[in-house]
């Protein structure tokens, strides 16, 4: 604080800094509250998705077992195909209070499946049921991956925002207030010094005026006349001199 000169200009500068810091603290506080609400929503959605995914995964693998029992081991026939992806995952961005969160979405490529002949001998319905159940499970996996990634990104952003809020609230604003208190105290001290100095000068002038009054009173008692200032003497000074007394000047 002692490094800051206690002047009116610095006082105005630090008042503006304090106002800006308080405004930033208010905005960051609102951002942190919005992130907390979204954070709780993501946590709730993740818990619900995981609980439903457990049952869907169990049903999907159980239907796979039923299809293998009805149609035999068809995994080799599936592996012998072209393995062209009919479903892909795209990445998008969701903006929450200035934080960009990744969002994964599923889209179909339009490729034709080359394993449509599976189950012609037997177990066709079971294979179709397996495809449907694993499609549902894939949707849940994509949703869970999107939620988990956004949850982690949101958690990091929330930590950074909370650190900034705490820094402004506990470090920056108290430091600025301390500087303002120091400047105000020093300015008050300077004003008191100026007031004291003016009182001393005024007291000396009053003492000088009293001394002059005492001298005038003493002179009056002693019979001395006070010289009149501002009035011209009526006596003609030139009448005391005779022009004939001067010698002639020869050039």
């Amino acid at each position: 604080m002692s490094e800051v000169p206690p002047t009116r200009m610095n006082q105005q500068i630090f008042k503006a800094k304090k106002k800006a810091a308080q405004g930033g603290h208010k905005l960051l506080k609102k951002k942190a509250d919005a992130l907390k609400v979204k954070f709780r929503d993501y946590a709730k959605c993740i818990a619900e998705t995981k609980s439903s995914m457990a049952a869907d995964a169990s049903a999907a693998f159980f239907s796979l077992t039923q299809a293998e029992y009805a149609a035999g081991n068809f995994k080799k026939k599936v592996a012998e195909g072209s393995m062209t992806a009919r479903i892909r995952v795209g990445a998008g961005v969701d903006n929450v209070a200035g934080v960009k969160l990744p969002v994964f979405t599923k889209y179909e490529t339009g490729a034709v499946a080359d394993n449509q002949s599976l189950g012609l001998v037997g177990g066709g319905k079971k294979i179709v049921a397996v495809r449907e159940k694993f499609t549902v499970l894939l949707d849940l996996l994509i949703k869970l991956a999107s939620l988990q990634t956004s949850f982690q990104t949101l958690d990091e952003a929330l930590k950074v925002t909370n650190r900034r809020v705490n820094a402004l609230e506990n470090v920056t604003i108290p430091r600025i207030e301390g500087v303002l208190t120091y400047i105000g105290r020093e300015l008050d001290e300077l004003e008191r010094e100026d007031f004291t100095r003016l009182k001393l000068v005024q007291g000396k002038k009053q003492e000088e005026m009293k001394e002059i009054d005492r001298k005038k009173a003493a002179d009056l008692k002693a019979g001395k006349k006070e010289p009149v200032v501002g009035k011209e003497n009526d006596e003609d000074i030139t009448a005391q001199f005779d022009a004939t007394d001067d010698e002639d000047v020869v050039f």
Side-chain angles (χ1 to χ4, degrees):
M1 292 182 211
S2 58
E3 297 177 358
V4 181
T7 60
R8 296 289 181 186
M9 182 178 294
N10 284 332
Q11 189 179 35
Q12 294 300 322
I13 290 172
F14 276 92
K15 282 183 179 179
K17 287 183 178 181
K18 181 182 177 181
K19 185 177 180 181
Q22 288 176 345
H25 176 266
K26 188 182 293 183
L27 291 176
L28 286 175
K29 195 71 174 176
K30 290 181 179 179
K31 179 180 179 180
D33 294 338
L35 292 179
K36 285 178 183 178
V37 172
K38 200 69 176 177
F39 186 80
R40 288 193 292 268
D41 292 340
Y42 274 116
K44 184 178 179 180
C45 290
I46 288 172
E48 293 176 352
T49 304
K50 285 184 177 180
S51 62
S52 62
M53 192 177 68
D56 291 334
S58 177
F61 282 100
F62 183 71
S63 64
L64 176 62
T65 304
Q66 288 178 337
E68 287 179 349
Y69 179 77
N73 190 1
F74 54 88
K75 292 181 180 179
K76 291 182 179 179
K77 294 181 181 180
V78 174
E80 289 172 358
S82 61
M83 302 296 289
T84 302
R86 293 186 298 110
I87 295 175
R88 292 186 182 274
V89 178
V93 176
D94 185 17
N95 193 341
V96 177
V99 180
K100 295 181 179 180
L101 302 177
V103 178
F104 301 142
T105 55
K106 183 189 77 170
Y107 67 94
E108 295 184 1
T109 60
V112 180
D114 56 355
N115 52 8
Q116 297 292 335
S117 60
L118 289 176
L120 291 178
V121 179
K125 291 183 178 181
K126 297 293 183 182
I127 293 176
V128 172
V130 169
R131 185 182 289 114
E132 292 176 354
K133 290 185 180 296
F134 270 93
T135 301
V136 174
L137 182 61
L138 178 62
D139 292 339
L140 288 175
L141 285 173
I142 294 172
K143 181 181 178 182
L144 182 62
S146 178
L147 289 173
Q148 288 277 21
T149 308
S150 299
F151 183 80
Q152 292 179 357
T153 306
L154 195 62
D155 185 35
E156 292 296 327
L158 186 59
K159 288 179 181 178
V160 172
T161 304
N162 285 332
R163 282 198 294 268
R164 290 176 179 174
V165 170
N166 292 331
L168 285 172
E169 186 175 354
N170 299 319
V171 178
T172 305
I173 294 177
R175 185 178 297 172
I176 293 174
E177 289 177 348
V179 173
L180 285 173
T181 303
Y182 164 72
I183 292 175
R185 187 171 61 249
E186 291 296 322
L187 290 176
D188 290 341
E189 185 66 26
L190 290 174
E191 288 181 358
R192 282 194 293 271
E193 290 178 359
D194 292 339
F195 180 75
T196 304
R197 190 180 299 111
L198 290 174
K199 291 292 288 183
L200 290 175
V201 171
Q202 187 177 5
K204 288 183 178 180
K205 286 184 177 180
Q206 289 178 354
E207 289 179 0
E208 290 177 358
M209 293 297 296
K210 290 179 180 179
E211 184 66 26
I212 292 172
D213 292 339
R214 282 196 297 269
K215 287 182 179 180
K216 288 181 180 179
D219 291 341
L220 289 174
K221 288 181 179 179
K224 294 182 179 180
K225 294 184 179 180
E226 185 178 356
V228 179
V229 180
K231 291 186 177 181
E232 294 181 356
N233 195 353
D234 295 335
E235 186 180 357
D236 189 5
I237 301 176
T238 58
Q240 299 177 4
F241 300 95
D242 187 3
T244 58
D245 294 340
D246 296 332
E247 296 180 358
D248 297 332
V249 179
V250 180
F251 294 95

